[in-house]
Amino acid sequence: MDAARVLFLRDGFENVSLRKIAAAIGYTAPALYSHFPDKRALILQLCCEDFALLRRTLDTAKRVEDCVERLRTMGRAYVRFALDHPHHYRFMFMTPWAATEAPTDLPPEHGDPDHDAYAFLRRAVGACIEQGRFKPHYSDIDAVTQVCWGASHGVASLHIALKEDPWVRWRSPKHTAYSLIDATIDGLCATGESAPLRPSKARRARETS
């Protein structure tokens, strides 16, 4: 699975065959076919494993009772996942699907917040909307969900793709991402919402290290 992920990232889905994956790990092609009938089956299994890892990472937010702070916690957990697992993240969110390889059959987990990371995020956003915590014009649950997702994804993907670029004096990606998440959520919140207590300088230093 690790070899397949690396090859898909390096060469693109359309340029990688099961035979090529088997050669990379010293297997014969028939041995690999005994586990996966075709490349699409392997891709689906890889997606299931990587997204399950992301979903488990987001579980830290379950303990947060306040829906706005739960959303903030989820955004930070998502960023940590991206920075801790850059190869997984590239495969999941930064690798274009070839038209012939993109999954078309939605798995049973789709739409279940206990297994589907997008559904989990959508439920948290829905709670904020239902409780009147967001400004009234932020009422489209999917649009707001994708705004929150984009705030976390933007800095994470920028850092993964361009962190070696010397043109920019990069700051801590975790601190930058957390700042963007805070700015996004605070901007969504209804007028009069009390701003969350900001962590101390020592705590911020630990979070961004």
Side-chain angles (χ1 to χ4, degrees):
M1 302 295 284
D2 291 338
R5 185 185 296 108
V6 170
L7 288 172
F8 288 142
L9 290 174
R10 189 187 71 190
D11 300 338
F13 292 109
E14 67 277 12
N15 297 316
V16 177
S17 64
L18 283 184
R19 187 174 299 278
K20 189 172 185 177
I21 296 169
I25 58 175
Y27 275 57
T28 63
L32 198 55
Y33 277 109
S34 69
H35 295 280
F36 302 101
D38 53 34
K39 181 173 65 173
R40 186 171 178 276
L42 188 151
I43 291 173
L44 289 175
Q45 180 63 29
L46 198 54
C47 285
C48 287
E49 291 192 5
D50 286 0
F51 279 97
L53 177 60
L54 169 61
R55 182 62 189 80
R56 291 194 297 273
T57 302
L58 296 179
D59 274 348
T60 56
K62 280 186 173 181
R63 299 188 296 271
V64 181
E65 293 186 6
D66 182 85
C67 59
V68 172
E69 294 312 306
R70 187 183 316 128
L71 194 60
R72 199 183 309 271
T73 301
M74 290 175 65
R76 294 183 173 198
Y78 182 96
V79 169
R80 290 195 300 272
F81 171 86
L83 299 179
D84 290 344
H85 305 282
H87 292 300
H88 295 68
Y89 194 83
R90 278 183 180 270
F91 171 74
M92 296 162 69
F93 299 116
M94 299 174 65
T95 305
W97 288 101
T100 56
E101 305 296 349
T104 54
D105 300 328
L106 296 177
E109 297 81 9
H110 178 258
D112 180 356
D114 291 329
H115 301 283
D116 178 343
Y118 182 82
F120 186 47
L121 173 61
R122 190 178 187 275
R123 182 171 65 181
V125 168
C128 293
I129 293 173
E130 290 168 8
Q131 294 179 27
R133 303 291 296 278
F134 287 167
K135 295 181 178 74
H137 54 280
Y138 294 123
S139 58
D140 184 327
I141 186 171
D142 282 300
V144 177
T145 299
Q146 289 157 33
V147 165
C148 294
W149 183 10
S152 296
H153 170 75
V155 175
S157 59
L158 188 67
H159 174 75
I160 290 170
L162 297 174
K163 64 181 179 181
E164 304 300 335
D165 187 343
W167 192 266
V168 178
R169 295 177 61 187
W170 297 107
R171 299 305 191 209
S172 161
K174 191 177 292 185
H175 178 72
T176 303
Y178 286 6
S179 296
L180 179 56
I181 291 166
D182 285 343
T184 300
I185 293 177
D186 293 349
L188 291 168
C189 283
T191 303
E193 275 283 331
S194 57
L197 293 175
R198 298 304 183 196
S200 66
K201 288 184 178 180
R203 180 180 164 193
R204 285 200 301 269
R206 290 196 301 270
E207 287 177 342
T208 56
S209 62

